[in-house]
Amino acid sequence: MLITCPYCGPRDVIEFTYQGDGNRERPDSASQNFEAWNAYVYDRLNPAGDHNEIWQHSGGCRAHLRVVRNTLTHEISSVAFVRGDHQGRGDHGSAARRKAEDKA
Amino acid sequence: MVERQSPEPLSPLEPEFHVGSHGNFEHGVEIILTETRPGSIVQLAAWPGEEKKLIAAIRTVTGLALPDGAGGGLSDGVKSVFGFAPGKFTVADEAEGLAAAFAKVVTPAIGTVTDLSHGRIAIRIAGPKAEWVLAKFFAIDFALPAFPVGAGRSTTHHDIFAQIQRTSADQFDIYVFRSFARSFWKALCHASEEVGYEVQ
Ligand SMILES: [Zn+2]
């Protein structure tokens, strides 16, 4: 599987790290809404088809990427930087970043 | 910034650095391996929106005008610069003191300066089979149209980072972690054996 990084160009999947489902909406850290937290942690769409995902080009430019991957064919129909797309799209960017920082 | 003191820089390759011709060289040497030992290796990062100011600072300090585009770079044989990530650049200089020079120009509002002079080493692979040998290590396109002279690439070999700059049609400078350099060097020597290589 190749992922075309917007900075580095097409690269083998071994250079990338999966950072999770790109559809999640992370509740505010102070939120006590347990249903929202439960949904954030456990609820997944698990589609047979196009899926919004967050990947990091960890073995290259280290940018976090918003990837649309078809779970049936592995075809990748779109790749974009996570950086700069927070506006109006919840907290995806910082959530992905925080997850990466937690891992590091 | 504290000026670093390095009275006697030692090469991490020393025990495995054997000057001379090796491998299958009876029909000619097709690979030249060297350590370029730059005095300075610095990484620069711009905050979002400050990239142009950082590129201007690189020009002020090094005299090198970065070309547009991802991974763009150039080298004048003494100083080298290339992009390795959005808004991030590696700069190397034969002389020491590059980090201090950048610290004067790259203000905290523009971005950051990280002195990696003791953290990385630069290995040069040159010769007609350089592309061919590197293709054994890295899953990237080394052909000249895809990887032009001066350009940089950020990639990995067995999960270990490497930054590669093409410094001529058949020459590449590879920046690797100092602690992994000897292992990488030995692998590079083994990979070059079948075409004959010379260590200079
Ligand atoms: Zn990349």
Side-chain angles (χ1 to χ4, degrees):
Chain A
M1 190 168 100
L2 292 176
I3 297 177
T4 301
C5 171
Y7 187 87
C8 304
R11 294 293 180 93
D12 193 278
V13 71
I14 57 162
E15 291 194 0
F16 297 83
T17 310
Y18 184 53
Q19 298 284 14
D21 188 326
N23 299 299
R24 292 169 300 160
E25 291 285 351
R26 192 180 201 280
D28 186 274
S29 298
S31 167
Q32 305 238 325
N33 181 338
F34 296 122
E35 278 185 17
W37 279 110
N38 188 77
Y40 172 71
V41 174
Y42 295 111
D43 290 357
R44 297 294 180 265
L45 297 170
N46 197 22
D50 282 348
H51 186 221
N52 296 318
E53 301 179 335
I54 305 293
W55 289 75
Q56 186 189 11
H57 194 187
S58 47
C61 67
R62 300 193 63 78
H64 292 274
L65 305 171
R66 181 175 290 291
V67 173
V68 179
R69 180 181 64 97
N70 188 303
T71 57
L72 296 174
T73 63
H74 287 314
E75 187 192 344
I76 288 169
S77 51
S78 119
V79 187
F81 291 121
V82 168
R83 180 198 268 194
D85 80 349
H86 308 175
Q87 295 90 346
R89 300 205 57 176
D91 196 22
H92 292 155
S94 51
R97 230 179 346 264
R98 233 173 278 135
K99 188 155 186 271
E101 282 162 6
D102 288 349
K103 270 188 153 184
Chain B
M1 182 176 289
V2 178
E3 196 64 42
R4 68 201 172 78
Q5 303 289 329
S6 49
E8 197 185 349
L10 294 173
S11 168
L13 308 183
E14 211 71 70
E16 298 292 338
F17 193 90
H18 306 300
V19 171
S21 298
H22 305 277
N24 181 26
F25 65 89
E26 325 50 286
H27 306 293
V29 165
E30 300 201 86
I31 290 289
I32 308 285
L33 295 175
T34 51
E35 185 189 353
T36 64
R37 307 187 79 152
S40 302
I41 303 170
V42 172
Q43 279 187 2
L44 306 170
W47 304 121
E50 303 294 321
E51 294 85 355
K52 286 208 165 66
K53 283 184 199 153
L54 185 62
I55 289 168
I58 291 168
R59 189 166 193 173
T60 304
V61 172
T62 65
L64 299 174
L66 268 166
D68 282 339
L74 74 162
S75 174
D76 65 7
V78 178
K79 296 186 177 79
S80 303
V81 59
F82 57 92
F84 69 91
K88 296 180 183 172
F89 306 90
T90 294
V91 193
D93 188 355
E94 277 184 9
E96 294 191 18
L98 196 59
F102 272 114
K104 290 190 188 115
V105 182
V106 180
T107 63
I110 295 174
T112 59
V113 179
T114 309
D115 189 352
L116 295 176
S117 308
H118 286 209
R120 303 282 188 278
I121 76 157
I123 293 169
R124 175 167 290 169
I125 176 168
K129 289 287 189 190
E131 272 183 26
W132 183 83
V133 168
L134 289 182
K136 297 189 195 183
F137 286 80
F138 303 104
I140 64 172
D141 191 348
F142 285 99
L144 194 54
F147 192 165
V149 173
R153 296 286 182 268
S154 198
T155 182
T156 50
H157 174 245
H158 283 232
D159 282 343
I160 304 303
F161 267 112
Q163 291 181 357
I164 308 170
Q165 184 179 31
R166 183 175 216 136
T167 42
S168 83
D170 62 359
Q171 176 176 298
F172 300 85
D173 293 354
I174 310 168
Y175 295 85
V176 290
F177 297 136
R178 178 167 291 258
S179 53
F180 280 103
R182 194 183 303 158
S183 152
F184 181 72
W185 170 261
K186 284 170 76 176
L188 208 51
C189 290
H190 285 311
S192 305
E193 271 173 1
E194 60 179 307
V195 290
Y197 70 98
E198 185 178 326
V199 176
Q200 291 183 345

